Amino acid sequence: MNWAEISLKTTTEGIEIVDGFLMAHGVTGLMIEDAADFNNFLKDTTIYWDYVDDELMKMASCDTVIKFYLADNPQGFETLNQIRADLPSLRATTELNLGELALTVNYKEEEEWETAWKKYYHPIVISDRLAIVPQWEQFDPLPGQKVLRLDPGMAFGTGGHHTTRLCLGFLCDNLPAGCDLLDMGCGSGILSIAALLLGAGTVTGVDIDQLAVKISHENAALNGVDNEQLSLYCGNVLADSALADKLGEKQYDVIVANIVADVIIAMAPLFARYLKKSGTLVVSGIISERAEEVLSVLRSNGFSVQEVKEENDWAAAVLTPEA
């Protein structure tokens, strides 16, 4: 298997926060290059330096970078896109200086790596009601099976990631006909469009990444989704009160949030504000070891857990407002 080396630029004080963020995305085996560590080493008075190589001295002014590896396949691509999409939200969770948070793919030219994965991406059958099919693939659906055509580009959401499949499974099995749905962190638009194909009345999607909103619009057009059915917004609902108020002009029958644990925790009061008392909240993107932490916060915000499913160390949960 080939691997892509990913570098994420941050600051010394941001290392711990960014480490936790990456681990929440299932990334382990992190390597840290921090100029502060090297400077502390040079200042160690117990060591006498009579000569230090010029190349070595350059490390004293290097960037602080966290490196990790992702498989050169659709799963790795999905993980990278989820990380990229969630990075802006990370700033909203702390007052620390996290630096640029710039991502670089070092294994190949980034554009090459982010198109090479397409040879692995084939139709994904979610159920006898729904299949996710790449725009460039042929597919013969079952009678009555909806086909969601998708070109995810650089946005998170191909249907291949466990977290997305868990959400799609809920939509196939439990989505109320004609419902109003809110998609928090819409990515490629996969959940928003799937909901409409499966019978939702209207969908509102929001994402912090302008590129994701653009791709969602393109995928909606690809599937013949009526603009009156799908409304998309770009912004950070945790920091932009005007956007938060705009989304809260009505309440929703269903909210789906396929994000990460820390962002779900931060959004818990918004879920309570936006969801009808008879509604359903679906959260995913949670690494299994943090599931109980997330559910505890949601319980404290007035939700009752109805179901928890896990797939390959990722968890999703279905909750309803307490009576």
Side-chain angles (χ1 to χ4, degrees):
M1 180 183 292
N2 294 324
W3 299 84
E5 182 187 76
I6 316 298
S7 298
L8 178 56
K9 192 181 295 186
T10 183
T11 63
T12 299
E13 64 178 327
I15 289 173
E16 186 174 350
I17 294 292
V18 176
D19 277 3
F21 169 82
L22 292 173
M23 291 179 68
H25 286 76
V27 176
T28 57
L30 305 177
M31 297 179 293
I32 299 169
E33 296 178 0
D34 186 13
D37 287 343
F38 184 71
N39 279 313
N40 290 336
F41 183 60
L42 288 180
K43 293 174 183 178
D44 188 342
T45 57
T46 65
I47 302 175
Y48 174 74
W49 298 97
D50 59 355
Y51 172 75
V52 179
D53 186 89
D54 288 342
E55 290 299 316
L56 196 58
M57 284 301 298
K58 291 180 182 178
M59 293 180 62
S61 58
C62 72
D63 294 318
T64 296
V65 175
I66 298 176
K67 293 183 178 180
F68 55 96
Y69 291 86
L70 296 175
D72 185 9
N73 60 22
Q75 187 76 21
F77 174 78
E78 282 278 276
T79 300
L80 176 64
N81 278 354
Q82 187 179 33
I83 290 170
R84 180 189 283 114
D86 294 337
L87 277 172
S89 299
L90 179 62
R91 295 188 187 278
T93 65
T94 179
E95 295 180 356
L96 295 177
N97 173 23
L98 302 182
E100 293 182 46
L101 295 180
L103 275 169
T104 305
V105 179
N106 299 315
Y107 166 61
K108 297 177 181 177
E109 290 296 323
E110 184 168 354
E111 183 178 354
E112 179 186 352
W113 188 66
E114 291 180 343
T115 56
W117 65 274
K118 288 185 178 181
K119 64 180 178 285
Y120 302 110
Y121 180 31
H122 301 296
I124 301 168
V125 175
I126 303 300
S127 74
D128 58 3
R129 296 191 64 202
L130 179 69
I132 312 299
V133 181
Q135 181 185 10
W136 55 89
E137 287 276 341
Q138 296 295 318
F139 182 75
D140 294 322
L142 298 171
Q145 189 177 48
K146 301 294 184 180
V147 175
L148 196 168
R149 290 284 177 180
L150 196 69
D151 186 351
M154 292 174 64
F156 175 70
T158 64
H161 198 281
H162 308 288
T163 61
T164 310
R165 285 204 303 268
L166 288 167
C167 290
L168 289 169
F170 166 81
L171 296 180
C172 286
D173 296 340
N174 302 293
L175 188 70
C179 68
D180 291 329
L181 182 142
L182 175 62
D183 184 359
M184 300 285 271
C186 61
S188 67
I190 185 170
L191 298 181
S192 294
I193 298 166
L196 290 168
L197 293 179
L198 292 167
T202 63
V203 172
T204 301
V206 61
D207 201 286
I208 200 167
D209 184 358
Q210 183 64 57
L211 178 62
V213 174
K214 175 179 179 291
I215 291 171
S216 290
H217 274 296
E218 292 171 353
N219 283 321
L222 190 62
N223 288 275
V225 168
D226 191 327
N227 288 336
E228 294 183 0
Q229 290 183 287
L230 177 62
S231 301
L232 296 171
Y233 298 91
C234 180
N236 183 354
V237 296
L238 296 175
D240 186 341
S241 59
L243 176 59
D245 290 343
K246 180 67 177 177
L247 296 177
E249 288 179 354
K250 67 176 182 179
Q251 289 189 308
Y252 303 86
D253 300 296
V254 179
I255 297 176
V256 291
N258 183 21
I259 320 177
V260 290
D262 288 327
V263 179
I264 291 171
I265 287 171
M267 286 184 174
L270 291 177
F271 298 150
R273 172 183 170 187
Y274 294 157
L275 190 66
K276 292 179 180 178
K277 290 297 184 184
S278 59
T280 301
L281 170 65
V282 182
V283 293
S284 189
I286 308 163
I287 197 164
S288 294
E289 64 187 38
R290 296 196 64 190
E292 186 52 42
E293 175 189 356
V294 173
L295 296 178
S296 177
V297 171
L298 292 172
R299 288 189 190 100
S300 69
N301 278 270
F303 289 97
S304 177
V305 179
Q306 301 301 317
E307 183 181 10
V308 178
K309 288 187 176 181
E310 294 192 13
E311 186 175 312
N312 202 35
D313 297 325
W314 292 95
V318 177
L319 305 96
T320 56
E322 292 179 346

